[in-house]
Amino acid sequence: MIQLIIGQLLNGAIVGSLYGIVALGITLTFGITGIVNFALGAFMMLGAYFTWYGYELIGLPYPIAVIVAVLLVATLGLVADLGLFRFTRNNLVNGLLVSIGLISIIEASVLLTWTSTPKDLSYVLPGSLRVGGILLPKIKLAVFAVLLLVIASTYLALTRTWIGRAAFAYAQNPEAAALMGVKTNRLQTIVTVYSTALAGLGGALYASLYSLEPTIGAYYVLKAVESAILAGIGNTIGALVGGIIIGISEGIGSVFLPTAFRDAYGMLFLVLILLFKPSGLLGSK
Amino acid sequence: MLEVAALDVFYGKQQVLRGLNLRVGQGEVVALIGPNAAGKSTTLRVLAGLKKPATGNIALAGRNIGALSTAQRVAGGLVLVPEGRQIFARFTVEDNLLMGAYARRDRDSSRGDLERVFAMFPRLRERREQRAGSMSGGEQQMLAIGRGLMAKPSLMLLDEPTLGLAPIIIDELSNTIHNLATNGITILLAEQNAAMALSCAHRAYVLESGRIVLDGEAAALANAPEVKQMYLGS
Ligand SMILES: Nc1ncnc2c1ncn2[C@@H]1O[C@H](COP(=O)(O)OP(=O)(O)OP(=O)(O)O)[C@@H](O)[C@H]1O
Ligand SMILES: [Mg+2]
């Protein structure tokens, strides 16, 4: 039983961190560009497929495949920003339309190229660690560690660097930020690309654990939006925490309650939080 | 220091500035006074690069800056303290001030300049850790000016700093402007409060419906009948 709970806790934390970094991209992008970029889910899915392709078909070592996939996704993010999103900034509806259009294009391209047959990576890192009689798969620990590292460095970058401070300043008052000398167009591009890269990384890590299908993006982006709402929209760090909370409540919930309803446990939690604190778990006011 | 020539500015079809000429000499305090909607803020926004003029020339220290972005202008020493303060409400006072140094090459060592701002505005030192949004209007104005100072400006544009402040705070603000000028900062001050502006400034321009209708020594303007009647309420 303990083994099961600890295992589900780790699963929940990993899946939750994946929701969380996509959610972080959603809130960051929204705060800085005024666009709800649902296409981040599709970018995540692309990151997963690129990793699978690099690792399985080209035979790159997994870490290299991950890096290449993230760089590719970031490049596509840059192209999408300069070619599309740049023209829809601060226009919620157009931004939404563009991101939905992008989802169709990306999903259709993946379907065409790689079909809908699920893809699996052969064991990236086999074996388990035994901690106090509990077996923890090495790959899950590694993925979780990388996620934590990325989350921590994003947090540091947002709070300790000038560009991070500029992002927070811009989110509060775009014009005042410009008056401080923030290059606002560049900031928006950087944030859009960073968010896509995060999503791509999420996908690249996902690929080492679960099966790939062209539809995983849609699932993850919905969870990410859920996490962002849980935290209070615009709360960057909260979005991460929100994702982890949802992931863990799904993981733990499905130990004690029917697994078929696992999606509902996170939702239930969300509804409860919003009932008592409409601005979200960590939101102000 | 600042030369503005034949500036035409539009919002859509509406012309807001008409052939505006204006000059601010090195070390001067120059006031730009005029009623609501005269175009004072628009003038300063154009100077700061937030709004593009249709035609006209803007030169800072002999160099044409018309094509520069706001960021480049700030880095070049031209800083706007905007109307309504526009502080970062969720940042602390200190983070607001540090943000003011963003455009500086040596921004990583800007922490030391906090002391200079605190020396000028001791109240800000006491409130260093306070969220800027929870401060009083007067304190926020001090913060907005202090944040502007952190950029180490050579020319500071102040837009309506007296807006919504009590008379006693306005006096304090006059002193502040004198202080800035003594510290070698050139100032262009847009104000509806003509009495305050004319008492601070060396020279002044009167702007009405996008045109300069009068200009001259501040002391002389303060005694001009048109100005007395229209702006000084006597
Ligand atoms: N963003 C905008 N879009 C359209 N019109 C604008 C905009 N900003 C200013 N205007 C118009 O330009 C004219 C000049 O406005 P401006 O803000 O420069 O006046 P002002 O002299 O600063 O007035 P106040 O003393 O009330 O601040 C006004 O008629 C105003 O309605
Ligand atoms: Mg104004």
Side-chain angles (χ1 to χ4, degrees), chain A residues 51-255:
Chain A
T51 306
W52 163 77
Y53 191 86
Y55 177 76
E56 211 62 41
L57 300 191
I58 302 183
L60 298 173
Y62 178 72
I64 306 289
V66 169
I67 292 170
V68 171
V70 171
L71 289 178
L72 281 177
V73 172
T75 310
L76 288 178
L78 180 66
V79 171
D81 183 65
L82 296 181
L84 298 169
F85 286 123
R86 189 158 59 97
F87 304 104
T88 67
R89 281 175 188 163
N90 303 314
N91 186 327
L92 192 65
V93 176
N94 289 1
L96 216 54
L97 289 177
V98 165
S99 68
I100 290 171
L102 254 184
I103 295 175
S104 320
I105 295 174
I106 296 177
E107 280 193 6
S109 316
V110 170
L111 260 175
L112 267 177
T113 329
W114 292 309
T115 73
S116 60
T117 318
K119 306 279 187 282
D120 286 286
L121 270 65
S122 45
Y123 283 113
V124 171
L125 182 62
S128 295
L129 283 186
R130 180 178 287 279
V131 185
I134 293 166
L135 281 179
L136 298 171
K138 281 185 189 160
I139 183 65
K140 290 194 175 172
L141 291 174
V143 164
F144 191 52
V146 172
L147 283 168
L148 285 185
L149 190 74
V150 169
I151 288 169
S153 23
T154 302
Y155 178 77
L156 286 180
L158 278 174
T159 52
R160 300 287 155 81
T161 67
W162 283 98
I163 183 90
R165 212 177 282 174
F168 274 126
Y170 185 87
Q172 291 174 62
N173 190 329
E175 190 165 285
L179 285 174
M180 302 299 107
V182 174
K183 296 178 184 106
T184 53
N185 272 323
R186 219 178 62 173
L187 177 70
Q188 293 182 311
T189 299
I190 291 173
V191 165
T192 308
V193 173
Y194 186 71
S195 303
T196 14
L198 276 183
L201 176 71
L205 296 175
Y206 172 97
S208 70
L209 298 174
Y210 311 105
S211 288
L212 315 190
E213 284 173 58
T215 50
I216 54 173
Y219 177 79
Y220 270 79
V221 84
L222 283 181
K223 293 293 177 173
V225 170
E226 211 179 289
S227 319
I229 295 172
L230 173 68
I233 281 285
N235 183 334
T236 40
I237 304 309
L240 280 168
V241 180
I244 297 176
I245 290 176
I246 292 189
I248 291 181
S249 38
E250 284 174 3
I252 298 297
S254 50
V255 175

Side-chain angles (χ1 to χ4, degrees), chain B residues 10-61:
Chain B
F10 294 79
Y11 277 110
K13 285 212 174 82
Q14 185 203 0
Q15 184 160 10
V16 177
L17 296 180
R18 301 158 194 275
L20 187 103
N21 296 307
L22 187 146
R23 203 183 62 75
V24 183
Q26 173 78 43
E28 261 191 319
V29 177
V30 171
L32 183 63
I33 59 177
N36 275 128
K40 305 179 297 292
S41 297
T42 304
T43 307
L44 299 196
R45 293 171 61 81
V46 167
L47 294 178
L50 290 176
K51 167 83 187 152
K52 293 267 165 288
T55 55
N57 216 25
I58 306 168
L60 182 68

Side-chain angles (χ1 to χ4, degrees), chain A residues 162-163 165-183 186 234 284, chain B residues 45 48 50 70-71 74 80 82 86-91 98-103 107-108 110 147:
Chain A
W162 283 98
I163 183 90
R165 212 177 282 174
F168 274 126
Y170 185 87
Q172 291 174 62
N173 190 329
E175 190 165 285
L179 285 174
M180 302 299 107
V182 174
K183 296 178 184 106
R186 219 178 62 173
S284 48
Chain B
R45 293 171 61 81
L50 290 176
T70 301
V74 178
L80 169 63
Q86 312 282 351
I87 47 135
F88 301 111
R90 287 186 283 137
F91 275 180
L98 289 175
M99 201 54 211
Y102 187 84
R107 61 186 180 189
D108 288 323
S110 59
R147 185 181 64 177

Side-chain angles (χ1 to χ4, degrees), chain B residues 68-232:
Chain B
L68 301 188
S69 67
T70 301
Q72 288 169 314
R73 293 181 203 203
V74 178
L78 188 162
V79 167
L80 169 63
V81 178
E83 184 173 290
R85 349 286 188 217
Q86 312 282 351
I87 47 135
F88 301 111
R90 287 186 283 137
F91 275 180
T92 62
V93 166
E94 182 170 312
D95 283 343
N96 266 276
L97 292 174
L98 289 175
M99 201 54 211
Y102 187 84
R104 276 167 49 183
R105 250 174 230 284
D106 61 343
R107 61 186 180 189
D108 288 323
S109 52
S110 59
R111 220 159 243 289
D113 297 312
L114 288 175
E115 274 314 310
R116 290 194 4 227
V117 173
F118 290 148
M120 194 165 218
F121 305 110
R123 202 103 47 88
L124 294 184
R125 189 202 312 270
E126 294 162 23
R127 317 226 151 216
R128 196 172 182 146
E129 298 299 330
Q130 186 173 332
R131 266 181 167 217
S134 63
M135 296 205 302
S136 77
E139 289 165 344
Q140 291 190 10
Q141 187 59 55
M142 301 297 164
L143 178 59
I145 295 176
R147 185 181 64 177
L149 281 175
M150 289 295 288
K152 288 200 173 159
S154 49
L155 172 63
M156 205 169 201
L157 314 174
L158 297 174
D159 194 354
E160 215 99 43
T162 67
L163 196 77
L165 301 188
I168 188 165
I169 314 280
I170 293 182
D171 289 343
E172 227 176 276
L173 202 62
S174 299
N175 288 333
T176 301
I177 291 173
H178 281 300
N179 264 336
L180 297 176
T182 329
N183 281 308
I185 299 175
T186 305
I187 288 172
L188 178 57
L189 168 67
E191 262 299 340
Q192 275 195 55
N193 184 337
M196 181 272 189
L198 291 175
S199 78
C200 287
H202 303 115
R203 284 192 308 116
Y205 292 87
V206 181
L207 187 65
E208 281 176 14
S209 311
R211 273 201 186 84
I212 303 282
V213 292
L214 268 179
D215 71 89
E217 298 291 320
L221 278 182
N223 287 314
E226 310 91 303
V227 175
K228 273 189 153 167
Q229 196 190 351
M230 286 284 292
Y231 299 108
L232 300 175

